[in-house]
Structures are given as structure tokens and as C-alpha cells.
Amino acid sequence: MDSVSTLIVGAGVSGLSTAAALPNVGDGDYLVLEADAEIGGYCKTIRKEGFVWDYSGHFFHFKHPEIEAWLRERMPGQRIRSVEKKSFIDFHGRFVDFPFQKNIHQLPQADFVDCLVDLYFARAPAELVGPEVVAARKDYATFHEMLFARFGRGIAERFLIPYNEKLYACDLRELDKDAMGRFFPHADLTDVVRNMRQADNRTYNASFTYPEGGAIEYVKAIASAVRPGAIALSEPVTSIDLAKKVARTPRREIAFQHLVSSAPLPRLLAMAGVPHDPGAFSWNKVLVFNLGFDKKGKKDVHWVYYPSRDVSFYRIGFYDNIFDADRMSLYVELGFAAGAQVDVEGARARVLADLEKVGVVQGHALVAEHSVLMDPAYVHVNARGQAEQA
């Protein structure tokens, strides 16, 4: 039986970062097990016909400059693009700056008035709407209720609800009120009104960096700090005995003192034989099409969000506008429920038709493509799942 101090399950960004942070002491200090034949997890990069794509768009923003500097030191010769994000919402064929709730003044007048009035009364003081209305605003438990309480019906029904239903592929009443945490761009009435005169659309990822070799270059940089020989590829964990502190793979048994896992939690609990309610955990699948075309398309845009239920995808991204390339290079994302049967070929045909319908593809010829179904993708944060984890 092999023996290590720390066993790490998964050679994606989380697992490799954990290994890189551990001291390199002795031959058996830590071991990273990876079921796939390559490192990177969902940050793998694909190169095809001169195009560079990831499994999906992974663009990096750093809260701590020293972390970015540490990575750049380990990427000699790799050119890294620094980009100020330009993102929009397609609202019935016209572009509105993201985030929607701060830019309702860009909507057609009737939509703008509806959104502004509903937002005002969603925040209005008790003397205008009554104390019971004010009390009800604070008494919400779901993501769906939070959207109405904080932003009013106009904004919720025009963008926040349809877009997030497409993204998470579920009824938003099933999600916790803080399901998106810091990734949700909140705005109060003052922010909205101020933005009418002077735009301030900064979000947590308003600027980002991206290596010309794709997201995998950052993964490789992290892996360069991992002790040689400490990553075992194509070796999935099949079971874990927590009492004996022994993990099993198709090749061997490995004793450990500490276990770090980046595997999906339900999968980890099943491998470890931990009693749990599998129905407490839910998530969506995301089908990603990476598409390369023969000529340039839209310029000065990196993301476009599509709330319309008549369009199959919820978001597209433009790699070519990051690379400043002369051929349009897209990633296109579609959300599906965890239990959905995904018809990839059918979805592909619909995506290509929808790209023409919304005007992204205009006489372009598709010259290269790749697709990947990420399962699980986004976790559904809800009270039942939180309680099960506790």
C-alpha cells in the first residue's frame, strides 16, 4: 500500500493550487489523483484550425496582484492579454450595457418607465407604500422572491428571471436568495439614476487577463510548482474508507492522513460511503459550442447575454475580440437540467440558426468547431442542500 500525507482528488485549478501550496518535503508528502488523461479539469484548452478555445470561456481576474505575478513568472514566453470587458444584453435586437439593472435608461421608453417605476416602489419608504409592504420586502427566502423584492417586476421579468432560468435550467424558486453570492451585480435606486448621466458598469470581473495559449497556460503555470511525479493521470478514485483513511483506485490502495477533494460533493460522498440524501443536491448541465468562422464579426464586444426564451443560448463570448483576430471565434453556452437528455446535434443546428437570427452570423462560413457537455456545471444553492452539507 502506498502512503502519503495529503491526498488530493482532482488536477484542476483547485487541486493543483492546493498541491503547489504544500511544502515539497520527502517523496511521499502529497499525491494528486486525476481521472482524466490531462490536467486542467474544466479549464482545458482546445486548438483547432488556428483557433484557441477553452471548454468554456475562462477569463481570469485577480484580487491579489502578487498571485498574478507568481503565475506570470511561471509562463516564460507566453503573451498575456489584459482586457477591459465589454458586455451587453440583447434586448429584442438592441444592445443594452451590462448589468441590465443599472442601464434601464437605454431601453425603449415604455420599458424604461415600467422598470423605473417598479424599481422605485420596490424601494419606496413606508409612508408611500405602507409598513406591511416594507416588511414583506425583507421576508423573502428564494432567489425568485429576492429579484422581485429588490428590483421590482419590470426588471425581474424583462431580464433577471428569464436569463437566470436559462442559465440555471430550473425554477428560480428552488434557489436560495443568495444563490449567486458576490457574482450577482446588485444596484440600488441611486446607482441606477447616477448611471443615467455617468456610466459605471464595473463588476467583480470588469477587467481580466487571458493567455494567448488559452486558459490551460495558467493551469500549467500552477502545475509547474507541483513536485515532479506527484500527479497521477488516468487514475480515478473509486472508493474512500474514511475510518481507515485509505483511498482505492483501479491500480492501488493509498493511505493518507489528509484528504482534499475538488470532486463534486455528491460524488465524493458516494465514494466515501457517507450517508446523505442525493436528492438534496442539484445542478445544471452546460453545453458549450466553440465555433470558428471564416471572417470577422462584431467588434468591441466580449460577452452578449440573451434573456429571450426564443433563443436557445443564454450567452456567447467572442474570443477573436480578445485576441484581436481577423476571424470570428465564439463560445456559445446552453443550460440544461441535470436529468435532461441532451441532443447535441439538434442543439448545434438550433444554435447556428439562432446565431443568424440575432445577427451574429451574417454570411459567415463555419470552418472549425468543438463541443463539450459540462456535467455538473453550476451548482444550485438552496436551503435543502445547505442543510444536508451541515
Side-chain angles (χ1 to χ4, degrees):
M1 182 183 295
D2 292 340
S3 178
V4 295
S5 175
T6 303
L7 183 65
I8 301 168
V9 180
V13 170
S14 299
L16 294 175
S17 297
T18 300
L22 291 172
N24 292 316
V25 179
D27 293 333
D29 188 60
Y30 61 81
L31 176 66
V32 182
L33 294 176
E34 171 55 54
D36 204 351
E38 304 174 56
I39 63 173
Y42 281 173
C43 282
K44 291 184 179 67
T45 296
I46 302 93
R47 296 175 179 83
K48 198 170 185 180
E49 303 295 332
F51 294 95
V52 177
W53 302 307
D54 298 328
Y55 269 23
S56 188
H58 294 297
F59 308 122
F60 295 79
H61 46 277
F62 296 91
K63 183 177 182 180
H64 302 287
E66 63 272 19
I67 295 178
E68 182 180 9
W70 184 92
L71 288 166
R72 285 177 180 257
E73 289 173 3
R74 287 159 177 78
M75 302 168 66
Q78 182 68 216
R79 290 210 301 170
I80 301 175
R81 297 253 174 190
S82 296
V83 182
E84 293 297 320
K85 185 184 70 172
K86 297 178 181 178
S87 54
F88 305 92
I89 297 105
D90 184 302
F91 185 77
H92 301 303
R94 67 190 290 172
F95 272 10
V96 173
D97 287 338
F98 183 88
F100 185 90
Q101 51 268 40
K102 290 182 70 173
N103 292 287
I104 56 175
H105 60 286
Q106 298 176 9
L107 299 175
Q109 184 178 23
D111 294 292
F112 168 48
V113 171
D114 281 349
C115 289
L116 185 61
V117 170
D118 288 348
L119 175 64
Y120 174 79
F121 282 104
R123 306 292 181 88
E127 56 265 27
L128 290 178
V129 296
E132 57 282 342
V133 173
V134 173
R137 291 177 192 158
K138 302 176 182 179
D139 186 26
Y140 53 80
T142 71
F143 192 63
H144 187 276
E145 291 171 348
M146 181 276 289
L147 297 178
F148 277 98
R150 292 184 64 90
F151 299 101
R153 181 176 297 276
I155 292 174
E157 292 185 344
R158 283 169 174 79
F159 177 70
L160 294 175
I161 289 176
Y163 175 78
N164 284 291
E165 284 181 344
K166 290 174 70 175
L167 167 62
Y168 287 107
C170 73
D171 186 331
L172 300 185
R173 296 174 182 85
E174 299 172 6
L175 301 183
D176 184 82
K177 62 182 179 181
D178 295 318
M180 289 184 66
R182 70 183 180 90
F183 301 107
F184 188 85
H186 286 286
D188 60 26
L189 186 59
T190 302
D191 295 328
V192 173
V193 174
R194 183 183 292 120
N195 224 45
M196 296 177 189
R197 175 172 290 174
Q198 184 172 357
D200 180 6
N201 297 316
R202 288 173 294 179
T203 57
Y204 76 96
N205 59 351
S207 62
F208 62 90
T209 65
Y210 190 74
E212 290 197 332
I216 195 64
E217 299 300 330
Y218 275 139
V219 177
K220 290 177 180 176
I222 299 170
S224 71
V226 176
R227 180 174 50 79
I231 304 173
L233 299 175
S234 301
E235 189 170 359
V237 176
T238 56
S239 66
I240 301 170
D241 188 326
L242 293 177
K244 295 181 179 179
K245 291 191 173 182
V246 173
R248 295 177 180 84
T249 78
R251 302 178 190 173
R252 53 181 163 168
E253 292 187 342
I254 306 167
F256 60 85
Q257 292 299 311
H258 309 283
L259 177 69
V260 177
S261 174
S262 60
L265 181 58
R267 195 175 302 166
L268 174 66
L269 296 175
M271 286 191 299
V274 175
H276 66 285
D277 176 10
F281 303 106
S282 62
W283 59 89
N284 75 341
K285 301 176 183 177
V286 171
L287 176 61
V288 180
F289 289 99
N290 292 308
L291 305 173
F293 296 88
D294 63 334
K295 61 181 181 179
K296 189 72 174 175
K298 294 181 181 293
K299 298 179 180 180
D300 298 321
V301 54
H302 302 118
W303 279 280
V304 183
Y305 300 82
Y306 291 88
S308 172
R309 293 184 173 93
D310 294 330
V311 176
S312 55
F313 40 82
Y314 62 82
R315 180 173 61 187
I316 65 174
F318 293 77
Y319 282 107
D320 54 303
N321 291 331
I322 296 171
F323 290 129
D324 194 23
D326 58 4
R327 296 186 298 172
M328 186 165 68
S329 178
L330 305 178
Y331 71 91
V332 183
E333 298 173 304
L334 298 82
F336 294 89
Q341 295 295 317
V342 180
D343 176 6
V344 177
E345 284 304 309
R348 175 187 180 276
R350 174 77 188 279
V351 161
L352 293 175
D354 284 347
L355 286 172
E356 288 197 33
K357 181 170 71 175
V358 301
V360 173
V361 170
Q362 297 177 315
H364 293 74
L366 182 65
V367 297
E369 60 183 293
H370 163 269
S371 67
V372 60
L373 180 64
M374 297 190 293
D375 179 20
Y378 293 100
V379 171
H380 293 160
V381 179
N382 53 45
R384 188 178 174 193
Q386 298 288 83
E388 188 70 12
Q389 292 180 61

